[in-house]
Amino acid sequence: EAGVVQSPRYKIIEKKQPVAFWCNPISGHNTLYWYLQNLGQGPELLIRYENEEAVDDSQLPKDRFSAERLKGVDSTLKIQPAELGDSAVYLCASSFSLAGGFTDTQYFGPGTRLTVL
Amino acid sequence: AQSVTQLGSHVSVSEGALVLLRCNYSSSVPPYLFWYVQYPNQGLQLLLKYTTGATLVKGINGFEAEFKKSETSFHLTKPSAHMSDAAEYFCAVSATPRNAGGTSYGKLTFGQGTILTVHP
């Protein structure tokens, strides 16, 4: 079974440029997460989707970050414009959730390492 | 709000020695607890988790952890370290379905990680 797929794996851009990351979750997983991992830190949740709905985006900096999961499968996270401080690893994870709150284990992709110059 | 503290950002052991990685959590009620491992340039892989039942949890690669409610701890151990265990380890918590409010259930809060080095 294929795991969580992310692309690109590495991205180098200049500040003020836009950038987008793509994630394809494990087949059958209805819940998708985007995490931000700064160097030497643990991941921090940016946004969580259940199917097409963003159920928790409280940590997403909405002035420059946006995300979508139009068909409830793959997802795109965008930054526009990028700042130097956005240099980090962006992780995508997926899990299976049932109505009523049960959420199974989260499986993580390899991440996209963003460098902003 | 929940938080996780991992004591020691770097731990170094000799091959064959005991591995002990410490994790303490702060939560008003007992949460679900997890240990993840991250190898260089890879995503996080679940080692083990505690939800309910037996407080001593066994995971992959010979690791285990014990949930101690009185100490609010969930330390990770392995009796004998192997070179392949060298990686970064993250402890995480999440609210249980019973205690989660609104959208918080399923949200993982991670510690800052502990880098494990294994010497020959």
Side-chain angles (χ1 to χ4, degrees):
Chain A
E1 179 181 316
V4 176
V5 179
Q6 290 188 248
S7 69
R9 290 294 313 276
Y10 303 91
K11 187 73 175 179
I12 301 174
I13 61 172
E14 294 188 347
K15 63 180 180 182
K16 300 185 181 179
Q17 294 299 307
V19 65
F21 315 124
W22 177 80
C23 172
N24 187 253
I26 292 173
S27 177
H29 282 189
N30 55 354
T31 304
L32 184 145
Y33 312 77
W34 282 104
Y35 287 86
L36 165 68
Q37 185 176 20
N38 286 306
L39 185 64
Q41 303 288 324
E44 299 175 18
L45 182 69
L46 288 173
I47 189 168
R48 172 182 161 212
Y49 282 94
E50 287 189 8
N51 300 304
E52 303 88 358
E53 182 183 1
V55 295
D56 185 358
D57 63 356
S58 57
Q59 302 302 311
L60 188 72
K62 299 181 182 64
D63 57 335
R64 296 185 300 109
F65 286 66
S66 64
E68 61 183 13
R69 194 185 185 202
L70 295 176
K71 297 183 178 180
V73 181
D74 55 357
S75 175
T76 302
L77 177 69
K78 298 178 181 178
I79 308 175
Q80 183 171 10
E83 297 179 352
L84 295 177
D86 296 331
S87 295
V89 176
Y90 293 82
L91 294 166
C92 179
S94 71
S95 67
F96 177 69
S97 302
L98 293 173
F102 170 77
T103 297
D104 204 354
T105 299
Q106 292 182 35
Y107 294 87
F108 285 78
T112 297
R113 183 177 297 276
L114 174 67
T115 301
V116 182
L117 303 176
Chain B
Q2 298 174 318
S3 66
V4 177
T5 301
Q6 292 184 236
L7 298 176
S9 58
H10 291 80
V11 171
S12 181
V13 300
S14 298
E15 192 172 19
L18 171 71
V19 175
L20 171 60
L21 304 182
R22 299 178 186 273
C23 172
N24 288 88
Y25 67 89
S26 174
S27 177
S28 57
V29 293
Y32 286 172
L33 295 155
F34 307 80
W35 275 100
Y36 281 84
V37 61
Q38 187 175 33
Y39 297 99
N41 298 317
Q42 295 187 27
L44 281 73
Q45 179 183 6
L46 181 69
L47 276 178
L48 49 80
K49 64 180 179 181
Y50 169 78
T51 55
T52 59
T55 55
L56 181 62
V57 181
K58 295 186 183 300
I60 62 172
N61 301 338
F63 284 94
E64 62 182 36
E66 185 171 11
F67 168 56
K68 292 187 176 181
K69 181 180 176 181
S70 61
E71 299 177 7
T72 61
S73 69
F74 191 57
H75 301 331
L76 181 70
T77 61
K78 182 174 180 178
S80 177
H82 191 272
M83 297 295 288
S84 62
D85 295 327
E88 189 163 16
Y89 292 79
F90 292 93
C91 182
V93 300
S94 76
T96 67
R98 182 177 180 179
N99 299 316
T103 60
S104 64
Y105 177 59
K107 174 182 177 179
L108 288 173
T109 299
F110 287 88
Q112 293 193 321
T114 298
I115 296 173
L116 175 66
T117 303
V118 182
H119 296 287

